[in-house]
Amino acid sequence: MKKKIAIAMGGYSNEYKISLNSGNLVYKHINTKVYEAYRAHILEEGWFVVTDDEQKYPIDKADFSVTINNEKINFDCVFNIIHGTPGEDGIFQGYLEMLNIPQTACDYYHAALTFNKRDCISILKANGIQTAKNYFLNKGDEILEDEIIDRVGLPCFVKANKAGSSFGVSKVKRKEDLIEAIHFSFQEDEEVIIESFLDGTEVSVGVIEYNNEVVALPVTEIISENDFFDYEAKYLGQSQEITPANISEKDTHSVQEQAKRIFKILKLKGLTRAEFIFHNNEPHFVEINTCPGLSEASILPQQAKAAGITLKDLFSNVIEAALKNR
């Protein structure tokens, strides 16, 4: 009897289109000999299962079921690849936990923690993980430009605290541009984090649960054609992503061990991807994605390929881990 798997994709943020691409890749490569997969679009306008002929069937939120051709379908597991809210910030995880439906991403509390950049950084700094210098702002706070610059220096990065895919991010080189950048970030979130500029090699490390172990994938070096790794660099081809990275064996081991340690400190599950910058020859943590992109252009599938892991095996492993932990 095949397990029925809902591939949850979409979300309520600007990242929903990227998530749909990710979900479609999972649907394309899932092992159909073992699983009966359904595309579940979780969108602001509604929750639907979308069939191969693009017919939409509403999902019953009372039990996360769907009725197709008079047959009620209950899911054994949810492959959660929603980027942003509600799938990456813990809301969807909490909902599924109440229904006792396993899902592939981390649990609701840990999702909420990692989605909040400043809370996540605060926890990791307390555990000895190196990060940029930072300054926090809430919407309505007085903006003290000199105090901010004294803390983080110039250039600096201004980021929406709870947003992904580089939405609401600016690199500020001059004091006179700081206010505009802060207001730009406030369009995405009511909290802003301002960070010092870290000069160095930027890398990305996938950490996954594979064969019942926490495994760090080959490291990817990111060389952006733009001023930083922004949306265009990530998704419109304006960057080079080199896997494995052109860094020393020592640095590779160092950042992989750091990424695995962060995975364990934050009690994560499933598929994750952490970003670092080698500053003064040491990896400095930037952020972590607990529902990382899985589209054709995404980094984690590139890393899995370099590790000799097929997407079919990658996805089967994360589903089986979720079912085992039910």
Side-chain angles (χ1 to χ4, degrees):
M1 196 77 166
K2 293 182 182 180
K3 297 286 187 183
K4 292 179 169 60
I5 310 298
I7 303 169
M9 60 187 87
Y12 302 165
S13 74
N14 287 330
E15 300 177 81
Y16 80 94
K17 289 183 180 179
I18 302 160
S19 175
L20 293 177
N21 289 337
S22 295
N24 285 328
L25 187 82
V26 175
Y27 186 69
K28 178 181 176 182
H29 290 278
I30 199 167
N31 188 345
T32 54
K33 293 180 180 178
V34 179
Y35 308 115
E36 191 175 307
Y38 297 81
R39 293 181 295 168
H41 287 202
I42 309 301
L43 303 169
E44 282 191 296
E45 60 263 32
W47 294 14
F48 303 94
V49 163
V50 181
T51 56
D52 289 340
D53 58 1
E54 299 303 317
Q55 294 296 310
K56 293 182 178 180
Y57 295 88
I59 291 171
D60 185 348
K61 293 181 183 178
D63 59 1
F64 199 70
S65 67
V66 66
T67 299
I68 300 176
N69 298 328
N70 296 319
E71 179 191 356
K72 181 173 179 175
I73 297 164
N74 292 293
F75 298 106
D76 297 295
C77 181
V78 175
F79 195 115
N80 179 6
I81 196 58
I82 298 170
H83 304 332
T85 190
E88 202 168 2
D89 58 1
I91 296 172
F92 191 59
Q93 287 92 325
Y95 159 77
L96 291 175
E97 184 164 318
M98 287 192 297
L99 296 175
N100 196 31
I101 301 173
Q103 54 89 40
T104 56
C106 59
D107 295 335
Y108 70 94
Y109 170 75
H110 308 98
L113 174 64
T114 53
F115 195 68
N116 188 309
K117 294 182 181 73
R118 62 193 200 183
D119 288 358
C120 182
I121 286 169
S122 297
I123 292 291
L124 293 178
K125 285 177 77 171
N127 280 274
I129 303 295
Q130 296 190 74
T131 70
K133 296 176 183 175
N134 46 57
Y135 187 102
F136 305 145
L137 274 175
N138 293 324
K139 204 165 193 176
D141 286 353
E142 184 180 1
I143 300 172
L144 304 172
E145 297 167 85
D146 290 333
E147 183 176 295
I148 293 169
I149 292 169
D150 285 345
R151 174 84 61 84
V152 303
L154 288 173
C156 65
F157 282 99
V158 180
K159 303 178 180 180
N161 188 42
K162 298 188 291 293
S165 299
S166 296
F167 288 113
V169 179
S170 304
K171 184 177 180 181
V172 175
K173 300 176 182 177
R174 307 181 305 164
K175 177 182 175 180
E176 50 265 40
D177 296 330
L178 183 60
I179 296 286
E180 182 181 351
I182 290 169
H183 288 310
F184 175 67
S185 293
F186 277 138
Q187 291 176 23
E188 292 289 333
D189 188 32
E190 293 188 347
E191 299 170 347
V192 163
I193 180 169
I194 305 170
E195 296 180 331
S196 61
F197 171 67
L198 297 175
D199 187 23
T201 301
E202 183 170 356
V203 298
S204 181
V205 188
V207 177
I208 64 174
E209 289 180 301
Y210 191 73
N211 290 338
N212 300 314
E213 292 184 22
V214 175
V215 175
L217 294 173
V219 179
T220 298
E221 180 180 354
I222 298 165
I223 304 172
S224 176
E225 296 174 8
N226 300 338
D227 213 12
F228 62 98
F229 196 44
D230 58 7
Y231 180 90
E232 286 75 18
K234 283 184 178 180
Y235 300 109
L236 301 182
Q238 296 176 15
S239 68
Q240 295 180 56
E241 296 163 4
I242 303 166
T243 309
N246 289 321
I247 58 177
S248 70
E249 188 176 331
K250 177 186 174 184
D251 284 347
T252 297
H253 178 74
S254 172
V255 77
Q256 285 178 321
E257 288 302 306
Q258 188 86 291
K260 286 198 293 183
R261 182 165 176 250
I262 289 168
F263 187 98
K264 292 173 182 177
I265 289 169
L266 298 174
K267 298 182 179 179
L268 302 183
K269 295 179 182 177
L271 309 176
T272 70
R273 196 188 73 239
E275 318 297 333
F276 299 86
I277 293 176
F278 275 92
H279 182 65
N280 295 330
N281 299 315
E282 293 289 338
H284 285 58
F285 172 81
V286 178
E287 65 179 18
I288 192 160
N289 297 280
T290 57
C291 289
L294 296 176
S295 68
E296 299 284 359
S298 296
I299 291 172
L300 197 138
Q302 296 176 34
Q303 295 177 343
K305 183 179 179 181
I309 301 171
T310 67
L311 293 179
K312 185 180 289 185
D313 283 346
L314 183 71
F315 301 153
S316 293
N317 260 269
V318 75
I319 291 168
E320 290 305 314
L323 289 168
K324 182 181 176 181
N325 294 329
R326 186 171 189 170

